[in-house]
Amino acid sequence: MAELSTLARPYARAFFELQHESGNLPAGEQALEAMAAVVKHPDVARLIGHPAVTSDELVGLIQAAGSDAVDDTALNLLKVLASNKRLALLPAIAEQYGLLKDEAERRIEIEMTAAMPVSDDAQSALVAALSTRLGRDVDLGVTIDASLIGGAVLRAGDLVIDGSVAGRVERITQALTA
């Protein structure tokens, strides 16, 4: 998985810079998401790399399925990827682009997995505290996982804050068996 993101990063950065210069960051994200969704489709995924399907045919298919979201800049990226036999990188490029866009907009997505439902007031307080601490606008997603027993786990990219009871039990167990 790390290899895909490493390969995708230069494409994402170049596309991001073009979109940023023209003030089209949201349009770029929409185009990449549309093209990535097409590439992820099992029928299309089978065609990528198939010897009977040309790069131009794949570009046309992805462009048509991506409809209005695929502008000239996105089409150029699509052609470059096709000529380099890297169309399968589109989902990773979209992910990398999203990270660059969030960084430029000073936004961060945080996923909270909690043992039980979290009230709206508690979520608002957490978002405010995280925004202050991180100096960014926070988009908080919440999922429930009763196996945590209590507490919550916060994930923001590579950062993981485990405040769950299950996490504490695991750390104690590791300390006792080490």
Side-chain angles (χ1 to χ4, degrees):
M1 192 71 152
E3 185 178 320
L4 283 180
S5 64
T6 301
L7 292 171
R9 193 171 292 118
Y11 294 105
R13 178 156 300 285
F15 188 69
F16 171 81
E17 289 173 6
L18 286 171
Q19 295 298 88
H20 192 267
E21 287 173 10
S22 63
N24 288 330
L25 289 178
E29 185 172 45
Q30 183 181 8
L32 283 173
E33 287 174 356
M35 293 185 303
V38 174
V39 168
K40 285 183 196 177
H41 192 280
D43 292 337
V44 176
R46 279 193 295 270
L47 295 176
I48 294 174
H50 194 283
V53 181
T54 68
S55 294
D56 289 340
E57 290 172 327
L58 286 169
V59 167
L61 172 68
I62 296 168
Q63 181 186 14
S67 67
D68 296 336
V70 181
D71 63 6
D72 289 340
T73 307
L75 181 59
N76 287 337
L77 173 65
L78 198 55
K79 289 177 181 178
V80 167
L81 291 172
S83 68
N84 290 311
K85 307 226 180 297
R86 299 246 167 118
L87 286 171
L89 288 178
L90 272 166
I93 293 169
E95 182 179 333
Q96 292 286 322
Y97 181 92
L99 294 173
L100 291 167
K101 181 178 173 282
D102 287 347
E103 181 71 28
E105 294 175 342
R106 307 277 309 144
R107 301 178 59 79
I108 189 166
E109 290 184 17
I110 297 179
E111 183 61 35
M112 178 171 71
T113 305
M116 57 189 62
V118 180
S119 71
D120 290 342
D121 291 340
Q123 287 183 39
S124 296
L126 180 62
V127 166
L130 289 169
S131 292
T132 301
R133 175 82 172 149
L134 300 173
R136 297 172 181 234
D137 291 334
V138 172
D139 291 331
L140 182 68
V142 180
T143 56
I144 306 301
D145 181 358
S147 71
L148 295 178
I149 304 169
V153 178
L154 297 174
R155 286 185 180 82
D158 293 339
L159 175 65
V160 177
I161 301 170
D162 189 347
S164 68
V165 173
R168 287 186 216 145
V169 169
E170 183 179 329
R171 288 188 295 277
I172 291 169
T173 303
Q174 287 176 353
L176 291 173
T177 58

